[in-house]
Amino acid sequence: MTPKPPAKNPQQLLEQMLLIRAYEEAIVNGSAAGKMPGTCTSVGQEAAAVGVVNALAAEDLILTNHRSAGHLLARGADPGRLLAEVMGRRDGYCKGKSGSLHISAKELGVVLTSTIVGAELSMAPGVALAQSMLGRPGIVVCFFGDGAACEGSFHESLNLAALWNLPILYVCENNHWQAFVHRREAMSREHVADWAAGYGIPARTVDGNDVFAVLEAAQAAATQVRESGRPYLLETLTYRTRGHLEPDDQGYVDKAELATWLARDPIAAGRARLLADGLLSPAQAATMADKVASRIAVAQAFAEASPFPAADELTRDVYA
Amino acid sequence: MPTLTIYDAVGAALTEEMRRDHNVIAFGEGIATKRHELVDEFGALRIRNTPLAEGIIAGTAVGAAAMGLRPVVDLLFAPFLCYAMDELVNSAGKLRYLSGGQFSFPLVTLAMTGAGWGVGAQHNHNVEAWFVHSPGLKVVMPSTPADAKALLKTAIRDDNPVLFFLDIGLLYQPGEVPAGEHLLPLGQAAIVRDGRDVTLVSYGKTVHHCQQAADQLAGHGIAAEVIDLRSLKPLDEATILASVRKTGRLVVVHEANRLCGIGAEIAALVAEHAFADLKAPIVRLGGPDAPAAASYPLEQASVPSAEAIAEAARRLCST
Ligand SMILES: Cc1ncc(C[n+]2csc(CCOP(=O)(O)OP(=O)(O)O)c2C)c(N)n1
């Protein structure tokens, strides 16, 4: 399987965001019912993932982290295989050995997912180096959080990518939270994009809850990386509207701040925009929601029917 | 046979492998400066200097390896591996497994280790056991220039991440290296001296101390068998066990701290599988649980000497 071509129209962007939300809600409910482990959801951040991934070409490569469902689904991952992976089943993308935290799917160009905060940043220059030294056309997109941006690996990565002219689109999903620490407690600046200037790397901050704005900014950024062969940093300003890891009562979250961002829900905003522009009718919106719900139901049935790996898998794939 | 030092053997192995395979690249803190002949032959894209940032050097190697290159990185002194620990242990060692086998990580990390230069504990620390304890990694530590060349060539061709330790004390000692292509498999120990009375197992510079001890023991009518492990993971268990079954006595010797060192593993291996063949208790000789001192005599005192090895073997043979 090769990566699915990016969505061609605004309706498909909305549908992808709906799919991500429905997929993660299925896990939230499944984990509340004791059927699945908890995960790090990206609820509230769907526009950032969908906007960036749809700006990519099939040959581009993605590195991501623990909050990866949006990136994988926007890239065309099968929600059934993803759920199977989360549930530790044999038909998961990684044979059930990853769980939710490090799912990679080489066939989709989603490589080297790591849950060590910042490790995706440390590996990205190598992936980009391979692309350029082996004469492959794709650029490398590295998704990371504002928490990872406070790790040394962020700075080492940007410095090396700038020095070695590596085609990397760094995408910081600034969701205001670094597990249980608010970014204002942990960052010396308001924006991660400001740090890029120190390395001579062009950067931009975009409204991460507006899928159309993210898509436009990501297309411009990807084009610049492709043409210059040099790194670029895009910061998507968004908010993690559920907890760090399910279940999480969010007792530590400022209620007013959360309410402000919930009122800016990227899916509601995207749908309202399409309705207002006459690109979607209420009936079409309802059909879309039904379609997504039935895809998730099928996915869930697939995952639940998938067997657990046999015990002899325990020591397979350790060495090549 | 040509005579080379281990330092030159590393250069020769790199040269031959870079000629053989265009995907082999090398980078590190000064490798392009110190091995300029490689830059001349292979160009500045395949041999690169890096910033002094071990984490990003190792992480870049991991990413490049996953996507089809075969990087060799020079991280200088073993204690600096602490900065690259995450990338080597959590990424290179684990992401093959976590991805269900989708990726392999053919990369080699070079690091100098051990006593010999009086550089003190932040440049001299034998950390090889850390990596043996980490799944997904292989660990090599040669004791001669010939083995260094042959094992490094194999390590570069291996599809797994390999930690390749160079004993500082041996780095510039010359030795004969076979001309032409010469390879050794990882995980095959060398019996460097045959004997029937006691087995001396070691790696790195203490292999040479064991050989000197064996000379001394021969004067007392004791025939010591000396085994050079060469690679610590995979470990050549069969050669160790066969030797102990023959001699009935075992002294394990290494320079690294004795506590939780490779010697503990070998002692346990023999206790589990060859206990009935033992004629005497197993003895482990290793460094103390102390950082390495810079003062030359103190540094040397932390390494098991030929005399101490011979003394331990003599005691075993008299029981
Ligand atoms: C090196 C490391 N330190 C700590 C953690 C625990 N941890 C997991 S996710 C996370 C927060 C990461 O924040 P950020 O990078 O902003 O990403 P977000 O979770 O907000 O998407 C932390 C601290 C970890 N996985 N790795």
Side-chain angles (χ1 to χ4, degrees), chain A residues 192-212:
Chain A
V192 173
D194 294 346
W195 288 335
Y199 303 99
I201 293 179
R204 181 173 161 193
T205 302
V206 66
D207 176 0
N209 279 24
D210 178 345
V211 70
F212 308 110

Side-chain angles (χ1 to χ4, degrees), chain A residues 301-316:
Chain A
F302 170 84
E304 279 167 17
S306 174
F308 285 106
D312 65 2
E313 272 295 323
L314 192 58
T315 52
R316 273 199 205 136

Side-chain angles (χ1 to χ4, degrees), chain A:
Chain A
M1 184 177 166
T2 46
K4 205 178 73 154
K8 284 182 189 57
N9 59 48
Q11 292 88 340
Q12 285 171 320
L13 299 179
L14 177 64
E15 190 174 324
Q16 283 185 5
M17 292 199 292
L18 280 167
L19 182 71
I20 296 165
R21 179 75 56 94
Y23 167 86
E24 296 197 308
E25 278 173 353
I27 294 178
V28 167
N29 296 334
S31 89
K35 289 204 299 183
M36 287 180 205
T39 59
C40 293
T41 74
S42 63
V43 173
Q45 303 176 210
E46 296 86 351
V50 168
V52 172
V53 173
N54 280 282
L56 305 182
E59 69 263 22
D60 295 339
L61 300 176
I62 294 171
L63 285 91
T64 172
N65 61 8
H66 51 284
R67 229 175 277 286
S68 65
H71 312 138
L72 284 149
L73 287 166
R75 189 65 168 180
D78 171 13
R81 287 187 68 193
L82 284 180
L83 276 177
E85 188 57 52
V86 172
M87 294 169 74
R89 306 300 175 104
R90 208 169 69 186
D91 296 302
Y93 274 99
C94 308
K95 304 182 190 166
K97 287 173 173 168
S98 162
S100 73
L101 292 176
H102 344 68
I103 307 178
S104 50
K106 197 175 188 179
E107 68 208 69
L108 302 173
V110 180
V111 301
L112 298 180
T113 300
S114 172
T115 187
I116 296 286
V117 171
E120 67 283 27
L121 286 157
S122 80
M123 296 185 289
V127 174
L129 184 68
Q131 289 298 91
S132 61
M133 289 194 69
L134 297 172
R136 300 188 189 130
I139 67 168
V140 174
V141 179
C142 181
F143 288 102
F144 59 101
D146 44 291
C150 298
E151 293 261 8
S153 57
F154 167 81
H155 300 274
E156 295 184 18
S157 185
L158 264 65
N159 184 44
L160 194 69
L163 272 170
W164 285 7
N165 295 322
L166 298 173
I168 303 174
L169 173 54
Y170 290 100
V171 179
C172 179
E173 295 180 316
N174 183 342
N175 67 7
H176 287 65
W177 285 99
Q178 308 181 357
F180 306 106
V181 179
H182 194 280
R183 71 177 170 95
R184 291 213 172 84
E185 276 187 86
M187 277 177 60
S188 66
R189 297 294 298 257
E190 183 71 4
H191 289 303
V192 173
D194 294 346
W195 288 335
Y199 303 99
I201 293 179
R204 181 173 161 193
T205 302
V206 66
D207 176 0
N209 279 24
D210 178 345
V211 70
F212 308 110
V214 175
L215 177 65
E216 180 272 318
Q219 277 169 337
T223 302
Q224 187 161 337
V225 174
R226 228 177 283 286
E227 285 173 359
S228 67
R230 292 182 53 78
Y232 188 103
L233 176 80
L234 181 64
E235 179 180 26
T236 56
L237 211 54
T238 180
Y239 202 83
R240 190 193 80 201
T241 57
R242 292 191 64 90
H244 169 54
L245 171 73
E246 298 293 329
D248 177 345
D249 67 9
Q250 290 182 288
Y252 52 92
V253 173
D254 179 276
K255 301 285 171 291
E257 183 177 274
L258 179 59
T260 313
W261 283 92
L262 283 170
R264 302 197 53 236
D265 182 86
I267 297 182
R271 190 194 291 112
R273 166 95 173 266
L274 293 185
L275 289 167
D277 290 353
L279 292 169
L280 188 76
S281 70
Q284 284 170 323
T287 311
M288 188 184 282
D290 287 348
K291 184 176 152 198
V292 164
S294 70
R295 271 192 83 184
I296 294 301
V298 169
Q300 209 157 345
F302 170 84
E304 279 167 17
S306 174
F308 285 106
D312 65 2
E313 272 295 323
L314 192 58
T315 52
R316 273 199 205 136
D317 300 324
V318 180
Y319 295 94

